[in-house]
Amino acid sequence: MNEIDEIKNKVDIIDLIGSFVPLKKAGRNYKGLCPFHSEKTPSFMVSQEKQIWHCFGCGKGGDIFGFLIEKEGISFSEALVQLAERAGVELKSRPQDWGERNKLFAINELAAKFFERSLSDSKEGRQAMNYLVNRGINKETVATFRLGYAPSGWEYLSKLLLRRGYQVTDAERAGLAIKRDRGYSDKFRHRLMFPIASVSGRVVGFTGRVLDPQDQPKYLNSPETPIFNKGKVLYGLSVTKEDIQSANSAVLVEGQMDVLASYQAGIRNVVASSGTALTIDQLRSIRRYTETLILALDADSAGSEATKRAIELASAEDLDIKVALLGDFKDPDECIKAGVDQWRAVVQSAVPIVDFYISYSISKFGSDSVAAKKKVAAEVLPVIAALDSPVEKDQYAKKLAEAIAVDVQSLYEAIAKTRRGRVAPQPLAAKEQIQIESRDPHWLEKRLLGIILYKPAQWAHFRDKLDAVNWASPPLAQIYGYFKDCYTGREFSLDELLGKLEYPDKVEVLELMMVIEENYADMPDVDIGQELNFYINLLKQRNTRVEMMQLSREIADAEKSGDQVKLQALLEKFKESK
Ligand SMILES: [Zn+2]
């Protein structure tokens, strides 16, 4: 048995996926909400019997390795190493690209430990510790978030890494050393260090905050590296994900200090986008733990603009959004200093987005002049028009009318004229269908193959047509060939066919069978035959269309180059194939 099969025998797919996604038994399979796209009704299915998962919404699927690759954003080699550890299987050799990424993880981890030690043990670290004490951060919080201190020398960390057997270029690739005129120096010097971790808790980079006000910039981030993509990680999530899950909401703040202060104050379901504009990837990682997002960004105008952008982005991801209004406090940290209860109240009384838009627009434009009222209405009305519930629409129209002192009837008329949907969730179904098709150009060929493997008896009826199919990819042609070898005319054993296939093709066939069984389980054989015929014709039409387009392009080229002989031949061919 090879290593992959050995690991698969020891790691049950229901256990593995069940530790990320709640699964419920549904017929012969298990069902849950897809962790890879937004949905309210489960279309994500796991088959214990096949050890395969597939999402009927977004079309993703695979085995245990594929799941981990997709979920953790890691390479196949890393998934292999992780699952081998879980299964207790000894790998004969470390996979090739395991080296580079793992080296970067190891270097960042070493750096995190070094910074932690420098904060607690060094004389210089005391200034950083004093800063934290002044900001009200206690020792437990420092330890939980692994805060540290980067000393002010030029090459403390670089030298440590050299002593541990790394090259200075390794440190540079890990984002911790920078090239100077003469040699290298540490990137972070005399700064308070916040390690940034992946969801699973591995350190991937750092933010360093100045301790002396004259130093610039105030916040310095690790550069993008093969393991660090600023737009993909959220500060604090590795620590707070369970709290987010149990509170069933995530409070999004701007800065690292806001996360620390809120966590320490007992409101632990908190994360920060840390200095970047919120991205779709970040929202998706929040959505894996909760559907409710409470925005608690800074109260200045930049913060309000960021809130507006975040709302637009989050609505498209189907998150339920509320806005925490900070009132006179400039950021969550300041609010928490004024009192933990104050902060708790701000979070608990977070308002729906329309309330935010009303108060934000009025603070921006005012509400005294006719011109100001018009501007406020222009900004808020599309948001009201996008609400699903007519009752809510009515309530907010009245609220807005009152807030800017206009006649509510005129607002109703304006709403009726406003096109729906600036912040409304986008319809996913149609978009996803196209995505599946564009992601998998061979879906038609696979559908044909799946039906034959599922109902081999149908093959005889369409044999000539199927033999004439251009299978488009070598593995598919090979599988069709194997099918003909295995099928005796009466009996067919899928296991025998699977036995002939190599690793990724085997998974693909199993996933295909899961999709086919789900779609055709209750269909009479006659109808399945019709389906097969339908897809054969569809494929033929598609291929003809592709050929004609290709031919037209060649004809146009021949015309341009004036090659009369070639042109005649092509036109002849065109007529024939019509
Ligand atoms: Zn999905």
Side-chain angles (χ1 to χ4, degrees):
M1 200 187 304
N2 66 28
E3 286 167 340
I4 290 173
D5 287 336
E6 207 183 332
I7 293 168
K8 285 177 126 182
N9 271 346
K10 289 189 176 154
V11 178
D12 183 60
I13 196 163
I14 304 294
D15 289 343
L16 178 76
I17 296 184
S19 67
F20 293 91
V21 183
L23 292 174
K24 266 199 201 117
K25 184 109 206 220
R28 61 203 295 186
N29 294 324
Y30 289 77
K31 247 184 177 181
L33 288 173
C34 179
F36 307 118
H37 84 280
S38 314
E39 62 176 9
K40 294 238 160 86
T41 44
S43 46
F44 177 82
M45 299 194 89
V46 188
S47 160
Q48 188 159 37
E49 173 199 351
K50 295 191 171 63
Q51 293 288 303
I52 288 286
W53 60 278
H54 178 86
C55 173
F56 287 83
C58 64
K60 289 190 173 156
D63 59 1
I64 48 173
F65 297 101
F67 182 80
L68 222 52
I69 289 166
E70 202 58 56
K71 188 80 178 72
E72 307 266 271
I74 56 179
S75 67
F76 177 79
S77 317
E78 285 170 307
L80 187 66
V81 172
Q82 270 192 37
L83 287 172
E85 267 164 31
R86 187 181 170 122
V89 170
E90 191 81 39
L91 292 176
K92 279 179 213 81
S93 63
R94 292 287 187 182
Q96 277 176 350
D97 75 322
W98 187 81
E100 171 67 3
R101 283 171 62 93
N102 237 48
K103 192 190 268 180
L104 299 182
F105 280 126
I107 291 175
N108 273 284
E109 177 58 33
L110 264 176
K113 287 212 176 89
F114 168 70
F115 295 144
E116 279 184 286
R117 269 200 316 276
S118 307
L119 179 66
S120 58
D121 301 345
S122 78
K123 222 184 208 174
E124 263 192 303
R126 220 164 284 159
Q127 189 190 348
M129 196 56 107
N130 283 340
Y131 170 82
L132 288 168
V133 170
N134 284 335
R135 297 287 301 254
I137 302 300
N138 66 30
K139 282 227 164 77
E140 285 89 65
T141 307
V142 168
T144 304
F145 288 89
R146 304 191 63 190
L147 303 190
Y149 169 69
S152 56
W154 288 91
E155 44 185 15
Y156 279 111
L157 179 63
S158 303
K159 277 199 171 142
L160 172 83
L161 292 173
L162 285 178
R163 281 201 302 278
R164 296 294 176 93
Y166 294 103
Q167 307 292 320
V168 73
T169 46
D170 295 334
E172 188 192 16
R173 280 203 312 285
L176 291 162
I178 43 175
K179 204 168 184 169
R180 298 202 177 267
D181 294 343
R182 258 170 261 155
Y184 289 82
S185 79
D186 291 350
K187 179 176 171 77
F188 297 98
R189 286 173 292 110
H190 192 44
R191 279 171 185 267
L192 177 64
M193 299 301 288
F194 300 86
I196 302 167
S198 68
V199 179
S200 54
R202 295 218 264 183
V203 178
V204 293
F206 295 88
T207 297
R209 189 198 188 283
V210 291
L211 289 163
D212 288 330
Q214 71 269 24
D215 286 348
Q216 287 296 329
K218 192 171 171 195
Y219 290 97
L220 183 65
N221 284 314
S222 291
E224 303 264 309
T225 71
I227 59 167
F228 179 49
N229 180 334
K230 222 165 46 168
K232 284 198 171 160
V233 286
L234 280 162
Y235 181 74
L237 187 60
S238 62
V239 175
T240 63
K241 59 187 177 194
E242 274 97 25
D243 299 295
I244 288 172
Q245 210 153 23
S246 56
N248 195 19
S249 66
V251 181
L252 181 79
V253 295
E254 250 172 68
Q256 279 102 346
M257 288 307 286
D258 299 323
V259 170
L260 302 187
S262 180
Y263 186 87
Q264 191 175 296
I267 292 158
R268 296 185 156 187
N269 51 326
V270 63
V271 288
S273 59
S274 54
T276 60
L278 195 65
T279 67
I280 288 279
D281 286 321
Q282 290 172 331
L283 286 169
R284 286 191 182 147
S285 45
I286 291 174
R287 216 190 165 289
R288 284 171 196 167
Y289 302 98
T290 181
E291 284 174 5
T292 307
L293 178 63
I294 299 168
L295 299 169
L297 305 178
D298 293 358
D300 56 11
S301 62
S304 300
E305 276 303 317
T307 301
K308 226 177 98 183
R309 270 202 313 276
I311 288 171
E312 282 165 3
L313 215 54
S315 305
E317 280 301 302
D318 236 359
L319 279 154
D320 189 12
I321 312 143
K322 289 186 171 147
V323 182
L325 299 173
L326 288 163
D328 292 334
F329 300 109
K330 87 177 191 308
D331 56 31
D333 187 35
E334 197 183 274
C335 174
I336 294 160
K337 284 232 181 60
V340 173
D341 293 336
Q342 198 108 30
W343 172 235
R344 197 182 302 276
V346 163
V347 171
Q348 274 168 1
S349 55
V351 297
I353 54 174
V354 189
D355 293 271
F356 161 76
Y357 271 95
I358 294 175
S359 64
Y360 170 57
S361 292
I362 291 175
S363 73
K364 192 163 68 175
F365 301 119
S367 61
D368 295 337
S369 67
V370 175
K373 287 174 208 263
K374 270 192 179 159
K375 279 184 190 157
V376 171
E379 183 155 78
V380 181
L381 282 177
V383 186
I384 297 179
L387 291 170
D388 284 329
S389 137
V391 179
E392 268 190 307
K393 253 184 223 177
D394 190 49
Q395 274 174 353
Y396 279 112
K398 282 184 185 140
K399 204 165 185 174
L400 176 62
E402 206 170 295
I404 56 176
V406 297
D407 172 31
V408 72
Q409 201 53 43
S410 66
L411 287 185
Y412 284 142
E413 281 157 26
I415 289 172
K417 279 186 214 145
T418 308
R419 267 193 294 138
R420 263 186 71 100
R422 198 176 69 168
V423 296
Q426 294 170 346
L428 281 168
K431 211 172 71 192
E432 271 169 4
Q433 195 57 43
I434 295 164
Q435 273 174 2
I436 293 170
E437 287 206 34
S438 60
R439 195 167 40 233
D440 188 355
H442 302 325
W443 75 276
L444 257 176
E445 289 89 340
K446 284 183 189 161
R447 180 55 63 102
L448 282 183
L449 212 46
I451 297 175
I452 305 165
L453 298 183
Y454 183 55
K455 291 282 171 187
Q458 292 295 334
W459 173 71
H461 303 307
F462 300 96
R463 175 176 185 161
D464 292 343
K465 284 182 176 178
L466 286 165
D467 281 347
V469 164
N470 171 12
W471 290 101
S473 88
L476 294 176
Q478 199 181 34
I479 293 168
Y480 182 66
Y482 285 154
F483 165 77
K484 294 210 290 185
D485 295 345
C486 295
Y487 184 49
T488 61
R490 274 234 176 107
E491 272 163 46
F492 167 69
S493 151
L494 187 65
D495 285 339
E496 190 188 337
L497 179 111
L498 289 170
K500 292 174 187 277
L501 299 176
E502 293 296 329
Y503 172 64
D505 295 341
K506 203 188 241 176
V507 173
E508 189 143 359
V509 169
L510 280 166
E511 190 190 343
L512 179 61
M513 293 321 288
M514 190 176 161
V515 174
I516 296 289
E517 279 169 20
E518 200 60 35
N519 284 324
Y520 296 105
D522 304 321
M523 201 181 273
D525 285 3
V526 191
D527 294 350
I528 292 182
Q530 297 236 324
E531 282 271 311
L532 191 55
N533 196 29
F534 171 78
Y535 283 117
I536 291 172
N537 290 334
L538 195 62
L539 181 65
K540 218 154 90 191
Q541 282 164 20
R542 193 194 69 188
N543 289 346
T544 314
R545 215 166 45 234
V546 173
E547 272 165 36
M548 295 300 260
M549 270 159 63
Q550 172 70 18
L551 211 50
S552 316
R553 237 173 287 139
E554 283 174 29
I555 289 172
D557 286 347
E559 270 175 343
K560 225 185 270 166
S561 66
D563 186 342
Q564 288 301 324
V565 182
K566 195 173 176 191
L567 186 61
Q568 277 309 317
L570 286 170
L571 285 171
E572 211 53 45
K573 205 168 155 194
F574 191 78
K575 258 186 248 158
E576 272 168 32
S577 52
K578 236 178 173 177

